[in-house]
Structures are given as structure tokens and as C-alpha cells.
């Protein structure tokens, strides 16, 4: 966050009328000579002890609290804000004259929602008033509204329906301090309700607040999400109401419980933000647990009470979410509730997916349509029809989800999703049609008509389906480029095609619906294949696993590695071979080593690199001969995490040195670049991110290497002695003998064992009991980096 300039701070201290400011907080001031005096609101003041000096624009309390300072200090203390917040509060209405007139300041403060809460009411009444106060604050908080917009939750209907709020630390504004008897009583109650901490700060300060209400509108629970992620280490981003005296207690209530009344089919998310994502996309039959372990007895009791028949588990697609989904499905199926798993791409949650795959109603609808059934219910639960989606119709089993809203024949079929939940609709009869895909073309024969689709590969967004569509019947044909999602474009195509083929428009219209469904199916498959991981895990047989483990358990493993290098035709270079092998293995760690192999031309540096790479699994190495300055940033299809990035010549990578340095130091690369949106054609900013860390392996004949990059690497020099040259010549001659031929046949088997052993390796925390006894050179600053490699 940008630092507030000193000049700006001094101007505010000088220009804000302190007398008017203090009066705006309800303090009555009386002139006494050149000063003003009044009762101090920061302690139980019986006689005027607050003194304001207008000439200096300063205040001081001569009583018990002994506080004082500038106008900024007064706002900080009056509203329990930090310095930046107090400055922003004073700057907020500068354009309306706040910084010049005390009267305008007073009017400005009066415009804020008043926390006139009746603190003597019942607990549930106080909580309801707090929710209303936070709700009013949210509507006037640009930062909080910007956070909701960033999360794709830009819906005033949602804010009002769920009474979302924002805690800006002003809940107890106007409440006397703790030393005051009445103030102490109120603050103790705030603490008991979990709204305040022992240190006097609001529990939900700086958070979007989502209340959990029951059927009668009473507050059962409150959830808070910090709108800033750059908080102090250890500060939780997700908060709930703590129990009495801050003890642990079970979370209460069910979010959006009225959805359970309206629908027997419920989407269950892992987090409330995810549930709001579904709700804003039109899927109102949604609720949420409180994290992967936050499915409570209240949830189960509510599902049973309202007769829920089917649950779509929309937990995050990570290890915790997968394990929790399986466990929860087993529990629910034991109660006779059918369970489906909504499968986001790996590592994604509902909100992240909704932000990336637009339009969100169609992309989420497709995931619901493709949800995977988990087991079968255990209490006689029968198979139910496929889930409804945001088009209002239930598709047959062999057809993809109809994503185009205007395809629905009855507009009312959308209303039950937008304002209630999913209802049963009779399944449509399936009309199987054949599809032939070849050479970037899709051929779909329907009756005596033949459709051909081109350009589908360019449609990588669910928001667009623009293709070149050809239809022929006998000698007649018609062709045009059409967006199949545009009702107007379809109508024109239907009319023109019917004229050319001399058939009824209703026939073409029906054909076009089937073509749309098939093309959507292919588009969905195309997008999923693009998003899916490109690499498949290599599965080892029992014999291969046993051989690999035998290698790893060899007590003379280092000697065996050197021996296998020799058997594979790499002579000498013992130290370089071992260091290179270990550095390549370090790719598994969070801070892998980087290696530069340096020698004069034809000295064998490339051969040494190739030999080291041959011992590593093919799927875990990426090799290039040259690289441009920006190429690393745009390697979207290539995952470098825990892999070997090999560059044959450093000269080929000299323009990419900056990116290589970042990859080695930070373990990842990010860049923001401007490009055209494929749907709108407008310039937009795209973020590219390449995940690391990676082991970097470079060979070079250059003597002048970038110093900043060099000191991040281990430098190996190839053996250029005459004895090494003789050994290489001898080996080259032996390759043409019978022994050399047999050795080449053994080479693949030797390398396979090492590659399989590498596939079995996992990173492990290691304690070095001799670490404190080690020493290292310290005569140069570079050794600060070299020591860690050592």
C-alpha cells in the first residue's frame, strides 16, 4: 500500500478545523481566552479538562487520560482507527469541503450510519442490530464493495438478500470507555457475544461479514472474510463468532436455509464465498459448510427435516476437498441422500472457476451437468433424473448441457432456478446422430442433409461459439460464418439455408439445435483437454519398482552411480558427474540447485550434460537450444515445477538470463501483458505465471557470464587434461568392438533403473547434526549464496 506523503499529512493537520471536528463528535466547547475547553469523551470527565488551541490546531486533556495531539490523533482515538484509516476518513469528503469547515465535517460524519444500538436488549436483538449496522456500513464502503467486485459478487440483490456487511471498527463508536461503568458493561457484553476481543478491537474488523440466519431471520452465526490478504503473519483471513469467553464451540446454523424449503436438490459448497458465486449465477438452491471439516449436525438435521433428496458437493478440487467429499458422501448416503461431485479443474474452487470461465452461469451449469455420482444411497434411495441446470430443461443422458437460454421453449422454465431451486421435469427423448471429426472439420449428417463445421478449435471460451457452418442437400448448399449462440444469427441462417435447399425452415431450425448440442459437446471436450494436465504419471510394474528400490538402498550408492556412468560410456569427470546427478535430483526440493558446465569448445561439456539428463525421467526434463528474453514468461503449456530446465549453450539463453535469475531466486515467474480479448476484441491485461521451482542446467563455452546469474549457480569445469582426452579416444575406439556393442545394449536397461528410481523419490526434511561444525569461506559477499548451496 502506498505511503501517504508527508506534505499531505501536514496539510490535513493544518487545514482541518479541530474545533469543528471535535464538536462534530458531540462535544460542547466553550471559549476561554484564546483556547476552547470541553468535557473529554475519552474518560469519565466531570469538569471540562479538554483544551483545544486553535492557533496550533492541537488538543490536550488535562484530566485522567492525559491524551492529546493533532486532529488525526483525535479521529484515531474517537473511532479506534489506525493512522492511515484516520487520514483517509478526513480525506474522504475533501471534495465537498470537509477540510475547510467544521460544519461540513459535522454533516459528513452525520451521513455515516449511526451505531445507535440498544445495548440493553436480548442477545439475539443485539446481534440483529449489529448485522443491520454492518450492512449499512458496507453500502458506503468503496473498499468492501471493490472486494466483492473482485470476487465476482457484484450484485446488490445478493447484498440485500443475505444482509452482507462490513466491519470498519466503528461498532462501538459513541460507547463510553471501559473505565466508565456503563461503557464497561456494554464492552463486556460485546466481548461475551464474540463481537469484540479482550484488547478492545472488533473481532471482525476489516472483514466482509456474512450473517447466518434461521427461518425466522434470527442470527445463528456470523462469518467474516478479511478484504486484505497482506495482514500480519498468523492473522486468520476467515473468522466466525467465537464461543463464550472465546472458547471453542460448534458452528451453528445453515446458510441460505430457505433454499432447503424450496428444493430437494442442493448444491453444497465448502465456503460461503463459493456459495454466493453459485447464487449470483442463478443457482439459488445452494448452501455451504464451514470448510472441509465444517459440515455440522445442523446441516444434517436440516437436510433430513426438509427431505433433501440429492446433494451436489462443490468442494474445492484439492486433496482436502476430495477427501472431505468422499467422507461426507458416505455419511449422507447412509441417510438415503444421493450424492454427486461437482468437479472443478485441479486446484480450483467455485469462485476461482467462476471468475476465469465466463459466462459464469453457463460454465457452472456445465459442471453441474457433468457432476460425477458418488456411490449409491444405502437406504433404498432410487436413481433420480439428471440434474437441472441454468437453462431450465433436463437434458437426456447422451446429450450435452444446452447452454443457450433462448433455446428454451417456455420462458417460465428459468424462473424456478432464479428464485427457488431445481424441480423435476420429464426427460427429453434422445435423438442419436453420428459425428465425424477429421482435419479440423466436424461432419454431422442428419437425414438427407449434411452439415460441416470448421473453426471450432478457435472457440476456447464458453461465451462464444463462432464457426463456419456448411449445409448441403443434393445439389443445393449454403455456407456462412455464424455465432451459434446468437439467436439473430441463427434466424438469418435458418431462413437463407431453407431457401437454398428448398425445404421448410422448421427442418433447418431443428437440425441447427442438434448441431449446436453436438458442437457444444466437442467444444467442452476441447476446453477440458486444454485445461487438463498434459503429463501422465508413469506407472511402474512390481519388477521395475523392486529394481529401483534395490538401487536406492545400495549402501555404496555413489560408487554405483559412477560405475553406471562408466558403463553408459562416460569416462572420467567423477566429481562433475556426481555433482550434476545430485543437482538434477535436487529438482524435487523447494530450492533446487542450478549448474553451469563450462569449458572450451569440443571439450565434452554438452556430452556431460546429455549424460546427466539421460539418468533423469524424460517427463521431468525440458530441454532447449536457444531461448528469447520473453519466452519463459509465456510457457503456458509447459509446467516447470520440480523439473530440469536444460539449455545447451548459454549464448542461446543470454537474452533470457533475467527470467532465469528470477526463476532460480523466487521459484516462479509472473508477467502482465496486454492483448486482445478474443470475445470483445478490446485490449485487456493478461497475467502469465510459470510455476517453479526448477533445476537449471546450462552448458557454455563462454568465459564472460552474467555475474548475477553465475553466483546463483554451481560452476563445473570440464576436464581438459591430456589424460582425459586419451581416455575419451580409447572409449571411442572400444565402441566399435564386440564389448562396445554389448555395452550399448546394456545402457538402456541401466538408465531405465535410474529413471524409475528418480520417479520414486519424494522430498524429505533432513536434520544435519554436524551443521554447526561446518565452516566456509567468508572473504567475499558472494559466499553468502555459495554457502547455502554447500
Amino acid at each position: 500500500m502506498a505511503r501517504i506523503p508527508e506534505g499531505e499529512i501536514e496539510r490535513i493537520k493544518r487545514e482541518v478545523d479541530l474545533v469543528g471536528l471535535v464538536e462534530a463528535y458531540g462535544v460542547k466547547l466553550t471559549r476561554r481566552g484564546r483556547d476552547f475547553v470541553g468535557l473529554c469523551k475519552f474518560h469519565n470527565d466531570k469538569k471540562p479538562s479538554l483544551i483545544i488551541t486553535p492557533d496550533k490546531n492541537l488538543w490536550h486533556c488535562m484530566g485522567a487520560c492525559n491524551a492529546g495531539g493533532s486532529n488525526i490523533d483525535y479521529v484515531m482515538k474517537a473511532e479506534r482507527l489506525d493512522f492511515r484509516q484516520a487520514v483517509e476518513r478526513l480525506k474522504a469528503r475533501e471534495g465537498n469541503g470537509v477540510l475547510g469547515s467544521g460544519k461540513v465535517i459535522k454533516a459528513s460524519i452525520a451521513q455515516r450510519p449511526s451505531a445507535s444500538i440498544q445495548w440493553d436488549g436480548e442477545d439475539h436483538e443485539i446481534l440483529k442490530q449489529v448485522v443491520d449496522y454492518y450492512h449499512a456500513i458496507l453500502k458506503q464502503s468503496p473498499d468492501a464493495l471493490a472486494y466483492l467486485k473482485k470476487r465476482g459478487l457484484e450484485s446488490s440483490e445478493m447484498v440485500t438478500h443475505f444482509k452482507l456487511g462490513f466491519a470498519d471498527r466503528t461498532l462501538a463508536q459513541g460507547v463510553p470507555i471501559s473505565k466508565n461503568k456503563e461503557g464497561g458493561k456494554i464492552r463486556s457484553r460485546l466481548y461475551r457475544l464474540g463481537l469484540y476481543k479482550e484488547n478492545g478491537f472488533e473481532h471482525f474488523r476489516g472483514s466482509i461479514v456474512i450473517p447466518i440466519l434461521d427461518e425466522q431471520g434470527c442470527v445463528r452465526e456470523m462469518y467474516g472474510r478479511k478484504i486484505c490478504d497482506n495482514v500480519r503473519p498468523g492473522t486468520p483471513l476467515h473468522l466466525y463468532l467465537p464461543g463464550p469467553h472465546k472458547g471453542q464451540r460448534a458452528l451453528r446454523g445453515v446458510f441460505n436455509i430457505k433454499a432447503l424449503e424450496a428444493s430437494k436438490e442442493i448444491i453444497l459448497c465448502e465456503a460461503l464465498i463459493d456459495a454466493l458465486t453459485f447464487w449470483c449465477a442463478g443457482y439459488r438452491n445452494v448452501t455451504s459448510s464451514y470448510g472441509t471439516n465444517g459440515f455440522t449436525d445442523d446441516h444434517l438435521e436440516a437436510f433430513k427435516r426438509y427431505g433433501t433428496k440429492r446433494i451436489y458437493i462443490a468442494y474445492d478440487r484439492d486433496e482436502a476437498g476430495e477427501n472431505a467429499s468422499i467422507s461426507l458422501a458416505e455419511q449422507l448416503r447412509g441417510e438415503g441422500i444421493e450424492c454427486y461431485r461437482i468437479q472443478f479443474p485441479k486446484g480450483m474452487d467455485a469462485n476461482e472457476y467462476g471468475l476465469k470461465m465466463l459466462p459464469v452461469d453457463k460454465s457452472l451449469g456445465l459442471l453441474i451437468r457433468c457432476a460425477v455420482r458418488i456411490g449409491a444411497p444405502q437406504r433404498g434411495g432410487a436413481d433420480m433424473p439428471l440434474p437441472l441446470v441454468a437453462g431450465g430443461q433436463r437434458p437426456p443422458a447422451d446429450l450435452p448441457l444446452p447452454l443457450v437460454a433462448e433455446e428454451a421453449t417456455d420462458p417460465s422454465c428459468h424462473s424456478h432456478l432464479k428464485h427457488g431451486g431445481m424441480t423435476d421435469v420429464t426427460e427429453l427423448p434422445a435423438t442419436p446422430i453420428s459425428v465425424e471429426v477429421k482435419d479440423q472439420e466436424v461432419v454431422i449428417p442428419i437425414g438427407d442433409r449434411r452439415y460441416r463445421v470448421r473453426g471450432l478449435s478457435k472457440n476456447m471460451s464458453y461465451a462464444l461459439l463462432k464457426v463456419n457452418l456448411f449445409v448441403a442437400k443434393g445439389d443445393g448448399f449454403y455456407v456462412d460464418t455464424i455465432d451459434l449462440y446468437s439467436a439473430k444469427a441463427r434466424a438469418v441462417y435458418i431462413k437463407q439455408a431453407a431457401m437454398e435447399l428448398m425445404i421448410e425452415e422448421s427442418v433447418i431450425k431443428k437440425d441447427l439445435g442438434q448441431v449446436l448440442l453436438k458442437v457444444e459437446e466437442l467444444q467442452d471436450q476441447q476446453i477440458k483437454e486444454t485445461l487438463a494436465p498434459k503429463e501422465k504419471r508413469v506407472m511402474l510394474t512390481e519388477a521395475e519398482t523392486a529394481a529401483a528400490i534395490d538401487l536406492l538402498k545400495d549402501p555404496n550408492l555413489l560408487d554405483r552411480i559412477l560405475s553406471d556412468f562408466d558403463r553408459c560410456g562416460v569416462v572420467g569427470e567423477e566429481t562433475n558427474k556426481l555433482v550434476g546427478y545430485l543437482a538434477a535430483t535436487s529438482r524435487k526440493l523447494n530450492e533446487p540447485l542450478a549448474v553451469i558446465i563450462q569449458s572450451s569448445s569440443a571439450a565434452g561439456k554438452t556430452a556431460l550434460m546429455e549424460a546427466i539428463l539421460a539418468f533423469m525421467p524424460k517427463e521431468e526434463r525440458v530441454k532447449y537450444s536457444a531461448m528469447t528474453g520473453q519466452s519463459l514468461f509465456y510457457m503456458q503449456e509447459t509446467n516447470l515445477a520440480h523439473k530440469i530446465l536444460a539449455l545447451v549453450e548459454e549464448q542461446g539463453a543470454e537474452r533470457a538470463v533475467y527470467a532465469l535469475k528470477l526463476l532460480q531466486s523466487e521459484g516462479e515467474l509472473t508477467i502482465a501483458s496486454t492483448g486482445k480479448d478474443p470475445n470483445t476484441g478490446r485490449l485487456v491485461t493478461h497475467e502469465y505465471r510459470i510455476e517453479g521451482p526448477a533445476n537449471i542446467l546450462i552448458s557454455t563455452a563462454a568465459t564472460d557470464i552474467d555475474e548475477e546469474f553465475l553466483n546463483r549457480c554451481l560452476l563445473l569445469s570440464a576436464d581438459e587434461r591430456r589424460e582425459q582426452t586419451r581416455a575419451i579416444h580409447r572409449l571411442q575406439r572400444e565402441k566399435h568392438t564386440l564389448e562396445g556393442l554389448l555395452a550399448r545394449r546394456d545402457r538402456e536397461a541401466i538408465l531405465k533403473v535410474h529413471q524409475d528410481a528418480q520417479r520414486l523419490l519424494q522430498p524429505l526434511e533432513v536434520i544435519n547434526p554436524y551443521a554447526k561444525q561446518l565452516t566456509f569461506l567468508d572473504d567475499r559477499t558472494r559466499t553468502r549464496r555459495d554457502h547455502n548451496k554447500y
Side-chain angles (χ1 to χ4, degrees):
M1 186 177 290
R3 181 173 174 269
I4 302 175
E6 287 294 333
E8 181 74 359
I9 294 172
E10 292 303 318
R11 184 179 67 82
I12 290 173
K13 288 181 178 180
R14 182 177 62 254
E15 295 184 5
V16 173
D17 177 17
L18 183 57
V19 173
L21 176 67
V22 173
E23 288 180 335
Y25 284 102
V27 179
K28 184 178 180 180
L29 297 176
T30 305
R31 179 176 288 278
R32 183 178 294 173
R34 305 179 73 176
D35 297 332
F36 286 84
V37 298
L39 295 174
C40 179
K41 64 177 295 179
F42 305 134
H43 71 279
N44 191 16
D45 201 5
K46 300 297 184 182
K47 60 179 182 179
S49 57
L50 173 67
I51 299 176
I52 298 176
T53 305
D55 293 345
K56 299 180 179 179
N57 220 24
L58 296 175
W59 64 278
H60 183 74
C61 176
M62 305 299 292
C65 69
N66 196 35
S70 68
N71 40 31
I72 299 176
D73 298 302
Y74 196 90
V75 174
M76 288 171 63
K77 196 167 182 63
E79 301 195 32
R80 302 186 72 86
L81 304 176
D82 60 26
F83 183 83
R84 172 176 286 276
Q85 289 174 319
V87 172
E88 295 297 334
R89 181 63 52 82
L90 290 172
K91 288 173 57 181
R93 301 178 186 273
E94 182 175 5
N96 295 329
V98 168
L99 296 184
S101 166
K103 292 181 180 179
V104 179
I105 294 173
K106 189 168 185 176
S108 171
I109 294 175
Q111 290 175 11
R112 291 181 49 77
S114 172
S116 56
I117 296 174
Q118 302 300 315
W119 300 109
D120 55 351
E122 298 290 334
D123 286 355
H124 68 89
E125 294 173 346
I126 292 178
L127 287 173
K128 185 178 184 301
Q129 293 178 77
V130 169
V131 165
D132 291 340
Y133 177 68
Y134 282 160
H135 180 58
I137 289 293
L138 173 65
K139 294 180 178 180
Q140 297 188 11
S141 173
D143 290 342
L145 294 173
Y147 176 81
L148 290 176
K149 182 178 180 180
K150 182 180 75 172
R151 299 299 295 266
L153 305 176
E154 196 175 9
S155 167
S156 58
E157 181 189 4
M158 173 204 69
V159 170
T160 302
H161 183 79
F162 292 109
K163 281 193 170 293
L164 266 61
F166 179 62
D168 69 342
R169 311 186 188 196
T170 61
L171 179 61
Q173 180 178 310
V175 175
I177 62 172
S178 300
K179 294 180 180 180
N180 179 284
K181 183 177 180 180
E182 181 184 358
K185 181 179 178 182
I186 294 174
R187 292 175 188 275
S188 295
R189 190 163 194 184
L190 286 170
Y191 170 71
R192 181 174 58 80
L193 291 173
L195 297 168
Y196 261 62
K197 297 184 176 183
E198 288 180 311
N199 59 11
F201 288 108
E202 283 184 55
H203 177 63
F204 291 112
R205 67 187 186 280
S207 301
I208 294 286
V209 180
I210 305 175
I212 312 299
L213 309 175
D214 61 17
E215 293 89 336
Q216 289 73 44
C218 295
V219 181
R220 299 294 307 281
E221 181 60 79
M222 293 170 71
Y223 163 76
R225 172 57 164 93
K226 298 284 187 186
I227 65 172
C228 294
D229 291 337
N230 57 338
V231 294
R232 286 197 305 256
T235 302
L237 298 178
H238 308 272
L239 301 165
Y240 294 95
L241 278 178
H245 307 295
K246 305 302 181 276
Q248 295 295 322
R249 64 156 176 80
L251 293 164
R252 301 168 298 189
V254 177
F255 173 74
N256 193 25
I257 194 165
K258 292 187 177 180
L260 276 64
E261 298 181 53
S263 175
K264 303 302 181 187
E265 297 176 325
I266 297 296
I267 301 168
L268 177 65
C269 295
E270 178 180 323
L272 290 167
I273 296 294
D274 293 336
L276 292 175
T277 302
F278 273 98
W279 196 91
C280 290
Y283 301 95
R284 303 297 167 89
N285 54 325
V286 65
T287 188
S288 172
S289 55
Y290 307 115
T292 52
N293 298 317
F295 184 81
T296 67
D297 293 340
D298 282 5
H299 287 101
L300 184 58
E301 187 276 330
F303 288 160
K304 292 162 67 175
R305 174 157 42 99
Y306 287 108
T308 301
K309 298 296 184 185
R310 175 184 291 177
I311 297 294
Y312 297 95
I313 302 175
Y315 281 11
D316 299 359
R317 190 81 186 280
D318 54 20
E319 184 177 356
E322 296 285 22
N323 292 338
S325 297
I326 294 171
S327 175
L328 176 59
E330 184 177 352
Q331 179 184 0
L332 292 174
R333 286 189 293 110
E335 300 293 339
I337 300 175
E338 192 177 22
C339 293
Y340 279 76
R341 176 71 164 113
I342 293 178
Q343 294 185 308
F344 303 104
K346 290 284 187 181
M348 277 195 182
D349 57 30
N351 183 254
E352 184 181 4
Y353 180 82
L355 289 172
K356 291 184 177 180
M357 304 304 291
L358 300 175
V360 61
D361 59 336
K362 295 177 181 178
S363 60
L364 288 177
L366 183 62
L367 292 187
I368 297 173
R369 171 65 179 82
C370 299
V372 177
R373 186 177 183 181
I374 307 178
Q378 298 171 7
R379 288 191 181 177
D383 284 349
M384 298 181 68
L386 289 168
L388 283 180
V389 292
Q393 297 186 4
R394 189 184 306 285
D398 62 342
L399 291 181
L401 167 69
L403 295 181
V404 189
E406 63 260 24
E407 290 297 323
T409 55
D410 182 4
S412 66
C413 68
H414 300 269
S415 61
H416 68 279
L417 277 177
K418 297 295 182 182
H419 303 288
M422 301 178 178
T423 60
D424 291 338
V425 177
T426 305
E427 292 192 17
L428 300 174
T431 308
I433 56 175
S434 61
V435 175
E436 181 183 355
V437 182
K438 65 176 183 179
D439 300 330
Q440 301 295 312
E441 288 187 355
V442 180
V443 178
I444 307 174
I446 304 177
D448 58 354
R449 301 164 303 283
R450 175 178 171 270
Y451 290 84
R452 185 198 68 201
V453 179
R454 289 178 177 173
L456 179 61
S457 61
K458 298 179 181 180
N459 292 267
M460 296 303 295
S461 167
Y462 288 117
L464 190 70
L465 198 53
K466 189 174 184 179
V467 296
N468 179 274
L469 184 60
F470 170 93
V471 59
K473 177 189 175 185
D475 295 332
F477 70 91
Y478 178 69
V479 63
D480 196 2
T481 299
I482 174 179
D483 182 357
L484 290 174
Y485 281 161
S486 169
K488 184 176 181 180
R490 287 198 308 276
V492 173
Y493 188 93
I494 290 167
K495 184 175 182 179
Q496 294 297 325
M499 290 175 59
E500 294 292 338
L501 303 184
M502 293 183 291
I503 57 178
E504 293 291 332
E505 290 186 14
S506 60
V507 175
I508 300 294
K509 183 176 182 180
K510 184 177 180 181
D511 287 355
L512 211 56
Q514 296 188 68
V515 169
L516 170 61
L517 292 177
K518 277 299 179 185
V519 173
E520 267 188 341
E521 184 179 3
L522 294 171
Q523 181 198 37
D524 175 53
Q525 180 181 343
Q526 173 180 284
I527 292 175
K528 283 185 174 179
E529 289 176 354
T530 302
L531 293 176
K534 297 296 183 293
E535 300 150 4
K536 294 183 179 179
R537 184 179 177 183
V538 176
M539 303 303 295
L540 305 183
T541 65
E542 290 186 8
E544 290 170 338
T545 303
I549 292 177
D550 180 66
L551 168 67
L552 295 172
K553 288 187 175 181
D554 191 328
N556 299 311
L557 178 58
L558 296 183
D559 292 336
R560 183 168 171 181
I561 291 172
L562 289 175
S563 174
D564 286 346
F565 266 109
D566 291 339
R567 292 170 64 191
C568 290
V570 186
V571 67
E573 305 278 11
E574 277 77 9
T575 300
N576 288 345
K577 288 186 292 192
L578 275 181
V579 172
Y581 190 99
L582 293 174
T585 305
S586 74
R587 73 189 182 281
K588 300 278 188 177
L589 305 177
N590 290 329
E591 295 182 7
L593 296 168
V595 172
I596 295 178
I597 303 175
Q598 185 183 48
S599 74
S600 58
S601 180
K605 58 186 179 300
T606 304
L608 177 60
M609 173 194 281
E610 296 287 356
I612 294 169
L613 291 175
F615 280 79
M616 303 296 140
K618 294 180 181 179
E619 70 274 10
E620 296 187 28
R621 60 193 197 220
V622 179
K623 180 183 171 185
Y624 296 106
S625 298
M627 185 170 285
T628 65
Q630 297 291 312
S631 57
L632 267 177
F633 291 101
Y634 297 105
M635 294 170 63
Q636 291 293 83
E637 299 298 322
T638 305
N639 180 14
L640 294 180
H642 301 294
K643 290 187 179 179
I644 303 168
L645 175 61
L647 301 172
V648 177
E649 287 290 340
E650 189 271 340
Q651 290 94 326
E654 58 187 7
R655 287 173 293 177
V657 164
Y658 175 72
L660 291 171
K661 287 190 290 188
L662 289 179
L663 182 62
Q664 180 63 13
S665 298
E666 301 180 10
E668 67 174 8
L669 295 173
T670 56
I671 188 174
S673 178
T674 303
K676 282 190 176 181
D677 187 300
N679 299 328
T680 65
R682 296 178 180 176
L683 289 176
V684 293
T685 299
H686 299 283
E687 181 181 283
Y688 298 90
R689 182 172 182 267
I690 302 300
E691 289 190 14
N695 161 243
I696 299 173
L697 188 57
I698 298 177
S699 66
T700 181
T703 56
D704 184 18
I705 304 174
D706 183 88
E707 184 65 27
E708 278 293 309
F709 181 50
L710 185 62
N711 63 31
R712 289 171 166 82
C713 305
L714 293 174
L715 182 63
L716 304 181
S717 298
D719 188 350
E720 300 185 22
R721 295 176 302 164
R722 188 171 185 178
E723 292 80 358
Q724 176 69 2
T725 303
R726 288 173 178 169
I728 292 173
H729 286 170
R730 183 172 59 254
L731 184 65
Q732 289 171 344
R733 290 191 289 270
E734 288 177 356
K735 287 182 179 180
H736 299 280
T737 66
L738 176 61
E739 292 80 4
L741 177 61
L742 296 175
R744 285 200 300 275
R745 291 179 177 178
D746 292 340
R747 183 176 184 271
E748 293 303 320
I750 294 170
L751 295 177
K752 180 68 166 67
V753 173
H754 279 271
Q755 291 170 2
D756 290 343
Q758 290 284 328
R759 292 181 176 112
L760 296 179
L761 292 178
Q762 296 292 334
L764 182 69
E765 295 288 346
V766 176
I767 297 174
N768 185 350
Y770 306 104
K772 294 183 179 180
Q773 301 173 31
L774 300 177
T775 59
F776 198 73
L777 295 173
D778 55 10
D779 57 336
R780 289 174 297 169
T781 55
R782 172 184 167 156
T783 62
R784 298 176 185 179
R785 279 183 174 151
D786 291 339
H787 181 251
N788 204 38
K789 305 169 199 168
Y790 168 65

